[in-house]
């Protein structure tokens, strides 16, 4: 056998080994660790130290930037196809200078997402700004599970993510309190809306999941605890991925009856895909009269914001062009907390 042929065989063998190792790394599913020490019960005393507290400077606006449904994946990211999405985020962060970044789900979407998760976390963490993600219905579909992603979030220096109580459903039910002069001025309730499920053994298709009763009870407990800490009723916001059914009700009512000038804004580009059943989350919101804003992602072509029974229901603006985007509808959603709270979409050309 000539040296040339022998060298060729060795080269091909090395190449095949590298390919095999790469494929194995990509395809081998990775599971993370969930924690069983954070057990919630209704009579558990509310402790502000169990929550995340961010300090707001007196007489200075506090800005929250929502980005959503970025939907990275390994195949496209390794080919450099994520650049425009990252450019959108760069533009938003540079121009808006937020105090907090919230991701309302679907950071990734595909069968292979390990490298995309790591790259996205490193990128967002590099801004040096506190950031708080929640899970979307696609985040756990890849070759890394939600617990693995949660572990990576928790390792990031500036990420505020907490897995939350392990007995109320989901990974990532947690609270961020905004405090000014030792008083909580706004509580941000982060809620996991899960993914999809078969509702009946005869179902041919899966339907979107819902907020569990245990999560609603946890929400009520949290609002009561925050009010007791403040010795007064405290305002709050809820961030979720899959919208509650009242989003559709609110939009339809707006179209039928209109609203005060400038009160509602945004567009509906597709039919809403809320939780398949209504478990009463909005009833709890109304009962406790604390939450005045609910933000969701999920439906990429919708970005409407509507007042409904005293609560503003807002679809955050989709960030990036991955998977179903209306041309021109790219950017993020900015919440500004000052003398009053304003909500606006920030458009970025792509």
């Amino acid at each position: 056998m000539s040296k040339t042929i022998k060298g060729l065989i060795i080269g091909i063998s090395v190449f095949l080994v590298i390919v095999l190792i790469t494929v194995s790394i990509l395809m081998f599913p990775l599971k993370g660790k969930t924690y069983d020490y954070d057990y919630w019960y209704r009579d558990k005393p509310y402790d502000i130290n169990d929550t995340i507290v961010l300090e707001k400077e007196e007489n200075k606006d506090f800005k929250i930037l929502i980005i959503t449904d970025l939907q990275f994946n390994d195949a496209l990211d390794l080919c450099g196809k994520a650049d425009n999405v990252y450019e959108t985020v760069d533009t938003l962060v540079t121009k808006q200078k937020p105090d907090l970044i919230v991701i309302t789900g679907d950071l990734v979407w595909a069968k292979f997402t390990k490298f995309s998760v790591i790259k996205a976390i490193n990128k967002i963490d590099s801004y040096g700004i506190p950031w708080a993600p929640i899970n979307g219905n696609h985040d756990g579909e890849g070759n890394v599970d939600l617990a693995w992603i949660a572990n990576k979030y928790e390792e990031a220096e500036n990420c505020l993510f907490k897995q939350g109580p392990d007995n109320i459903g989901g990974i990532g039910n947690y609270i961020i309190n905004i405090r000014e002069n030792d008083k909580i001025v706004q509580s941000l309730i982060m809620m996991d809306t899960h993914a999809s499920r078969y509702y009946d053994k005869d179902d041919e298709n899966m339907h979107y999941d819902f907020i569990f009763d245990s999560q609603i009870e946890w929400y009520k407990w949290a609002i009561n605890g925050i009010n007791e800490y403040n010795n007064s009723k405290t305002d709050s916001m809820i961030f979720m991925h899959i919208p509650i059914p009242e989003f559709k009700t609110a939009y339809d009512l707006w179209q039928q009856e209109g609203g005060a000038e400038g009160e509602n804004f945004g567009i509906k580009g597709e039919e809403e895909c809320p939780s398949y059943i209504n478990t009463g989350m909005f009833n709890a919101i109304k009962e406790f009269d604390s939450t005045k804003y609910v933000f969701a992602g999920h439906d990429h072509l919708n970005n409407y914001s509507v007042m409904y029974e005293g609560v503003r229901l807002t679809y955050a603006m989709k960030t990036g062009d991955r998977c179903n985007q209306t041309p021109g509808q790219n950017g993020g959603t900015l919440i500004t907390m000052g003398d009053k709270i304003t909500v606006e979409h920030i458009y970025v050309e792509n």
Side-chain angles (χ1 to χ4, degrees), residues 93-110:
V93 172
T94 301
K95 290 188 176 181
Q96 303 307 321
K97 296 179 172 55
D99 299 285
L100 172 67
I101 300 170
V102 171
I103 304 175
T104 49
D106 282 0
L107 178 70
V108 293
W109 171 60

Side-chain angles (χ1 to χ4, degrees), residues 140-157:
E141 293 178 343
N143 58 334
V144 292
D145 67 4
L146 291 178
W148 188 90
I149 296 173
N151 295 159
K152 294 302 177 185
Y153 283 152
E154 291 169 324
E155 292 170 6
E157 180 180 357

Side-chain angles (χ1 to χ4, degrees), residues 154-169:
E154 291 169 324
E155 292 170 6
E157 180 180 357
N158 299 301
C159 186
L160 306 180
F161 180 90
K162 283 190 172 185
Q163 293 192 30
D166 67 327
N167 64 322
I168 68 169

